[in-house]
Amino acid sequence: MKIVSIQLLNEEQPKYLQLFNSIKEQISQGEMKPGERLPAIRSLASQLGVNTSTVVNAYKQLESNSYITAKKGSGYFVSNTKTGKEDINFSSDLGLFKDTSVINFASATPHPSIFPIESFKACINEVLERDKGFAFGYDESNGYRPLRQSILDYFNREYSIFVENENYLQIVSGAQQGIDIIGKVLLNPGDYVVTETPTYDGAVAAFKSRGARIISVNMDKDGMDMEELEKKIRICKPKLIYVMSRYQNPTTVCYSEEKLKKLLLLAKENQLYIVEDDSMSELYFEKEKPMPLKALDIDNECVIYLKSFSKILMPGLRVGCMVIPNKLLSDFTKIKHTSDISSSGLIQRSLDLYFRSEKWEEHLQYMKEIYRGRFEVMLTALERLQKYGVKYEKPGGGLYFWVRLPRYLSAKLFYQKCKANGLVFIPSGIFYDNIHKNCDDYIRLSFASAGIDQISEGMAILEKCLQSKYQEE
Amino acid sequence: MKIVSIQLLNEEQPKYLQLFNSIKEQISQGEMKPGERLPAIRSLASQLGVNTSTVVNAYKQLESNSYITAKKGSGYFVSNTKTGKEDINFSSDLGLFKDTSVINFASATPHPSIFPIESFKACINEVLERDKGFAFGYDESNGYRPLRQSILDYFNREYSIFVENENYLQIVSGAQQGIDIIGKVLLNPGDYVVTETPTYDGAVAAFKSRGARIISVNMDKDGMDMEELEKKIRICKPKLIYVMSRYQNPTTVCYSEEKLKKLLLLAKENQLYIVEDDSMSELYFEKEKPMPLKALDIDNECVIYLKSFSKILMPGLRVGCMVIPNKLLSDFTKIKHTSDISSSGLIQRSLDLYFRSEKWEEHLQYMKEIYRGRFEVMLTALERLQKYGVKYEKPGGGLYFWVRLPRYLSAKLFYQKCKANGLVFIPSGIFYDNIHKNCDDYIRLSFASAGIDQISEGMAILEKCLQSKYQEE
């Protein structure tokens, strides 16, 4: 490391952050190589003339962003595993669709072959006929108004979410942008954000890109551990809690009503906001549809409800929607404008027509039937695998199973083995923030993208790989 | 102000930033009202137990974000003019399109009636026939590969921009998102960014949302004042320079070759990046097309070239493109992924077909003819107005005139007067960061959206309003 080049002269930035940034830069630019040892904390501190705690904080930040790795007793080293995580993640939704020789239990989005292309195409052409050039002008930053009205009707009817009018709805270019905008509006560098653990890594990445620090709270079978949450709120005073209250990704947990109420109470008492990320509550296999947390937030005070249509319609729409609490309204519109001015007018207008037609309800029923079939096939196969020590909770809906491997198996290594045999899924490490290094005992099996025959085939590969491991033991 | 509620306890954030945030919050939540006086610097500092410089820095930050206003000799007050700026800005591109009773010299984007809807519709339908559901799957985060190839061909051919291959191109959801992503990749809170002054306020807003501080450098007739730039680089060590090298918004200035070379040299010597924002270099009325700065950056080292198609095609596409310097490649893809995963696949694929057809060149010729006609009409009318003391430089291309009003006129007041008479444009204040309060002597007249008859009519209104002012003097 070129210590000589490190200067901590910016008076308006904490020193630890300046140190973090200059080491990060040396690693990114290849001036520090993977495996290289970082200077000892005490010696670096004295060379730079700062407290040891400044160096400790910078190293911790680097570690939690995977730039460096601590080795017990021997110090910190530049990571070489950093890209591993992203490799799996990226391939899951992209390249593997087209690689028909691999069975895909990794992807969380439906296969393009079941998208409602014909009816959506009709909507697009109707919009182009009707609105002509205006379909390609700028729309309002908070979204095409008739679409916001359609969505609000849907939220009212299906989820008992009531807000005064469509002004409280903000259209976004997909749920990921929603999370990014929430971070921009609410977070400053150094702020704390509570997430479930395990959780969706794309949300963690967006919060971290604002300089936020993540506090992970463990999941029970009916939602976050509320005692742990309460304690961590008291200590860290977070700004935000990020939850997926229904069919949580990846654990498939639904929150109990009791925990939802407790969550809301904690938010109110501590004046913090909850982001409720909902991508698949429509896909329930139980008799009763679970209600969102947002339905309890009757004064529209502290829950930002974020709705994605990627899993129930098509991911490539890049259109999602947020319900914004009263106090935050103008901030969100402004930040949306700075982010990308507005989301595609053509797609918003076409989606509006689609929602207003009967096609939407029909398609939803069709998706539910397809997914229920796949769910049953995967479930039946999983029951057979219990004899190898595999464990899981049967989910009430959603698109995944969260499967605990036998004690002697590493999810990461098992993933490599299955991949070599033509099956991919997501090993648990992806869903944990880096502090939790030992979470290598679960895999997420998704039935979003594979058809019924492929599911049977994939489960047979899984069994074969389990069997051989079982016999090795 | 509830000083009692202000706590500066976060050890990892500069105190001035904590103070900035808590006052900002009180203003946003209405606990401090417009016109309310802020505590005197010395007294607040002693009550909070901090240095006066901390309070000064917080107040400055509030002022530069328009939350408060300094009144000479009497202190700081909560602004009530804050929304003024945004009102004009928002209406320029949105509401006024539909208000046919107002002539629009404000909007910088073409009117929807001249969009190439029929040919683009054909491309959309061809893509849907060809790709079916895959048009709505996720595309690669850096963009649909064939589109990147088409665009790179175009950049090669038309602008002598050469990079190794299309991997160095990043598709974004419009140029505004490009600027936002650049900020996320390169800026930390407190970093300095150089911009031209006057400049595009959307860029300033995006940089500020990353906590950056803006350094403004004055524009000469052939580009930024290079002495001033050099001096400010030496003092502030900025990370980034943001320029519009051709038909700068709003001054219409084109950089001389000499200044382009100097700019590049300064960037190399000081290891900083230049963002070259190009939205209308195709629209030249001179014989020779001016070359972009990026063409000089032959090692693809320090210029991020950002291309928008909003002004030459349609703003609602929400698709733009960046050429990324070698060292920054992987960072950009990651940050794009966290921002919105990917841009609309359907639009990217349709745009690719459109570029590969002859329609694109045809449309470009058509747009140039239309704009040249409007340019001539506005120019002729402006020549007539010189007798009232109006001044301007004749631009070599682009979509605006940057017009200096007679000494005795305030652009803001003149705007109000013209608006009352049925004409809108943009007064100069919008293009200046708040530090420059006295820049109220120019107006930007755009011929992007108004037709030839409307331009004549609008210029007549302008003359009438000038005349009456002239007689009042």
Side-chain angles (χ1 to χ4, degrees), chain A residues 12-14 16 21 121 125 129 136 176-177 180 184 188-189 209-210 213 316 318 338-340 342, chain B residues 12-14 16 21 121 125 129 133 136 176-177 180 184 188-189 209-210 213 316 318 338-340 342:
Chain A
E12 316 229 358
Q13 223 182 56
Y16 89 97
N21 281 321
K121 186 175 162 187
N125 280 296
E129 277 305 311
F136 286 107
Q176 183 69 35
Q177 187 187 53
D180 187 51
K184 285 186 193 170
N188 291 303
S209 85
R210 286 296 295 173
R213 289 180 287 190
R318 310 312 305 129
T338 348
S339 297
D340 69 350
S342 65
Chain B
E12 317 229 358
Q13 223 180 58
Y16 89 97
N21 282 320
K121 186 175 163 187
N125 280 297
E129 277 306 310
F136 286 106
Q176 183 68 36
Q177 187 187 55
D180 188 51
K184 285 187 193 171
N188 292 304
S209 87
R210 287 297 293 175
R213 289 179 288 188
R318 309 314 304 127
T338 343
S339 297
D340 69 351
S342 64

Side-chain angles (χ1 to χ4, degrees), chain B residues 180-192:
Chain B
D180 188 51
I181 288 178
I182 290 167
K184 285 187 193 171
V185 170
L186 291 173
L187 300 176
N188 292 304
D191 282 347
Y192 285 98

Side-chain angles (χ1 to χ4, degrees), chain A residues 105 375-392 401 403 406 445 452-464 466-467 470:
Chain A
F105 289 176
F375 171 76
E376 299 290 352
V377 172
M378 194 175 265
L379 179 64
T380 309
L382 264 174
E383 280 166 358
R384 250 193 352 256
L385 298 191
Q386 288 178 333
K387 62 181 171 204
Y388 303 105
V390 150
K391 289 195 170 68
Y392 56 88
F401 284 87
V403 178
L445 303 181
I452 282 186
D453 291 345
Q454 286 184 304
I455 292 177
S456 301
E457 212 181 315
M459 293 307 285
I461 296 174
L462 206 68
E463 177 157 14
K464 202 181 78 184
L466 270 172
Q467 219 164 18
Y470 193 67

Side-chain angles (χ1 to χ4, degrees), chain A residues 313-374:
Chain A
L313 211 48
M314 311 187 274
L317 287 177
R318 310 312 305 129
V319 171
C321 180
M322 292 196 283
V323 182
I324 312 288
N326 302 337
K327 277 193 181 175
L328 298 176
L329 207 54
S330 71
D331 290 341
F332 271 90
T333 314
K334 253 181 273 173
I335 294 288
K336 166 67 179 170
H337 193 84
T338 348
S339 297
D340 69 350
I341 301 184
S342 65
S343 299
S344 162
L346 174 65
I347 303 292
Q348 288 190 66
R349 285 160 197 249
S350 306
L351 190 58
D352 176 48
L353 274 192
Y354 188 78
F355 278 142
R356 287 171 196 267
S357 76
E358 286 157 19
K359 300 287 176 194
W360 160 241
E361 292 292 337
E362 272 172 34
H363 181 69
L364 213 53
Q365 286 313 313
Y366 166 75
M367 293 294 264
K368 278 186 68 169
E369 271 165 45
I370 285 196
Y371 283 136
R372 176 185 282 280
R374 295 177 180 183

Side-chain angles (χ1 to χ4, degrees), chain B residues 45 54 76 78-79 141 228 244 268 282 303 314 341 347:
Chain B
T54 301
Y76 287 89
V78 177
S79 304
S141 279
E228 188 186 338
M244 290 167 277
K268 285 191 184 191
E282 285 83 356
V303 178
M314 311 188 275
I341 300 184
I347 303 291

Side-chain angles (χ1 to χ4, degrees), chain B residues 275-324:
Chain B
V275 180
E276 181 181 31
D277 187 352
D278 173 13
S279 59
M280 46 191 177
S281 56
E282 285 83 356
L283 303 172
Y284 61 99
F285 310 132
E286 301 156 300
K287 283 211 186 91
E288 269 200 64
K289 179 167 50 185
M291 278 296 126
L293 174 63
K294 184 68 196 171
L296 300 174
D297 184 29
I298 44 173
D299 299 323
N300 192 29
E301 207 179 334
C302 51
V303 178
I304 303 166
Y305 177 72
L306 175 59
K307 182 71 194 163
S308 160
F309 303 108
S310 293
K311 295 188 173 50
I312 48 175
L313 212 48
M314 311 188 275
L317 288 177
R318 309 314 304 127
V319 171
C321 180
M322 292 195 282
V323 183
I324 311 288

Side-chain angles (χ1 to χ4, degrees), chain A residues 7-252:
Chain A
Q7 294 190 309
L8 311 179
L9 301 174
N10 183 341
E11 286 186 8
E12 316 229 358
Q13 223 182 56
K15 287 206 157 57
Y16 89 97
L17 203 57
Q18 295 179 54
L19 182 58
F20 163 76
N21 281 321
S22 59
I23 299 177
K24 186 181 97 177
E25 216 152 284
Q26 293 196 17
I27 294 174
S28 306
Q29 305 208 343
E31 289 167 21
M32 295 188 69
K33 308 277 177 233
E36 189 176 332
R37 192 174 180 283
L38 276 85
I41 288 166
R42 200 177 292 266
S43 102
L44 183 57
S46 88
Q47 283 179 71
L48 296 173
V50 297
N51 292 336
T52 52
S53 68
T54 300
V55 180
V56 169
N57 277 335
Y59 280 16
K60 274 196 185 152
Q61 197 78 1
L62 286 163
E63 193 191 3
S64 86
N65 283 283
S66 310
Y67 287 102
I68 65 173
T69 314
K71 287 187 190 163
K72 225 180 165 177
S74 56
Y76 287 89
F77 297 82
V78 178
S79 303
N80 43 26
T81 53
K82 193 170 180 252
T83 49
K85 184 167 170 170
E86 283 134 19
D87 274 346
I88 297 174
N89 206 5
F90 272 46
S91 61
S92 70
D93 283 321
L94 303 169
L96 293 174
F97 271 150
K98 288 152 204 161
D99 185 351
T100 45
S101 69
V102 176
I103 293 172
N104 187 348
F105 289 176
S107 169
T109 51
H111 191 273
S113 60
I114 59 171
F115 294 166
I117 290 302
E118 284 310 315
S119 46
F120 205 78
K121 186 175 162 187
C123 293
I124 290 177
N125 280 296
E126 196 178 328
V127 166
L128 288 170
E129 277 305 311
R130 185 191 69 190
D131 301 342
K132 302 208 166 55
F134 289 96
F136 286 107
Y138 283 126
D139 265 304
E140 287 178 68
S141 280
N142 42 0
Y144 180 60
R145 189 169 294 273
L147 173 64
R148 284 184 281 144
Q149 283 159 346
S150 309
I151 294 179
L152 186 56
D153 281 352
Y154 177 69
F155 287 170
N156 284 175
R157 202 170 63 233
E158 295 293 318
Y159 291 119
S160 310
I161 294 174
F162 297 99
V163 288
E164 218 176 300
N165 57 44
E166 74 279 4
N167 290 332
Y168 295 91
L169 263 62
Q170 168 73 56
I171 300 293
V172 285
S173 308
Q176 183 69 35
Q177 187 187 53
I179 296 171
D180 187 51
I181 288 178
I182 290 167
K184 285 186 193 170
V185 170
L186 291 174
L187 300 177
N188 291 303
D191 281 347
Y192 286 99
V193 173
V194 174
T195 70
E196 298 152 334
T197 186
T199 190
Y200 167 52
D201 61 331
V204 170
F207 295 137
K208 280 190 177 172
S209 85
R210 286 296 295 173
R213 289 180 287 190
I214 304 297
I215 315 167
S216 306
V217 172
N218 285 302
M219 286 295 279
D220 292 334
K221 287 180 185 175
D222 60 346
M224 270 196 275
D225 178 333
M226 287 292 148
E227 271 183 41
E228 189 187 337
L229 174 63
E230 208 168 344
K231 198 175 129 196
K232 288 187 168 168
I233 288 177
R234 208 168 47 237
I235 297 171
C236 300
K237 306 207 180 310
K239 280 273 183 72
L240 207 65
I241 304 178
Y242 172 79
V243 299
M244 290 167 277
S245 63
R246 294 178 290 181
Y247 317 125
Q248 200 259 358
N249 178 14
T251 64
T252 74

